[in-house]
Structure formats: structure tokens, C-alpha cells
Amino acid sequence: QVQLVESGGGLVQPGGSLRLSCAVSGLPIDTLVIGWFRQAPGSEREFVAASVRTGMVVSYGEPVKGRFTISRDNAKSTVYLQMNSLKPEDTAIYHCAASLSGQLNKPDDYHYWGQGTQVTVSP
């Protein structure tokens, strides 16, 4: 029912910035929790951030607090992840995901997933 398409990944140097986008269709975005998760090679999937419905409620994983900001433009059916002060350990495939309900940081509670976009942080 819901389709999500990530974009904005790429190669960036440590300390740099990148903005990811997640375009949402199929259901009104203001009915959805949109989360960002990442997975590096050899690592478990990790919660990054989530935005609930209107975006008034947000949540962040500890490794990105103070550096990443999740926001949404519901009129454009798009959620953004602004990533600042990037570190090599931020290198991963980043996925956005959608849920109607559930715990924000639990991947199993999300029903729909995008294809992912690669973020590489390297000198």
C-alpha cells in the first residue's frame, strides 16, 4: 500500500553533511510514522531517527543525537534526514520505513521499506 523511495546518498568526507530524502506515496503521510534505519556491513540494523505523523514527535538513536535531524514536509509527502558532522562510522545503507503504529526504534514494527541509499563517509 505504501511506497517509499530514498535519495540523497553518496560519498562525503568526515565532518561533512548530507541530506537524505524519503518520498512517500500510497497513504497520507500524516497518518504514518516514518523511520530511518541503517545497516553497515557485518553489523545489525540500527535505528537512526523517526518522525510521527505531523512531525511534532521525533526520536533519535544515541549515535546520531546532536548531529542528525529528521523533518518532514507533509505537503510534499517527503521526510528528510539532515546529517551533519558525519563520521566514518555513519557509513551504511540507509533505509526509510513506514508504520501506522508501533515502537519507533523497532524495525519489526514497520510495515513498509524503501530500497535504501548508500552513505559513505571517507577521507
Side-chain angles (χ1 to χ4, degrees), residues 11-25:
L11 175 65
V12 65
Q13 293 186 358
S17 297
L18 211 57
R19 188 177 76 159
L20 306 183
S21 298
C22 176
V24 180
S25 61

Side-chain angles (χ1 to χ4, degrees), residues 2 24 27-34 51-53 72 98-100:
V2 178
V24 180
L27 286 176
I29 192 171
D30 61 3
T31 70
L32 298 170
V33 176
I34 304 296
S51 170
V52 180
R53 299 186 180 92
R72 59 167 69 196
S99 177
L100 291 170

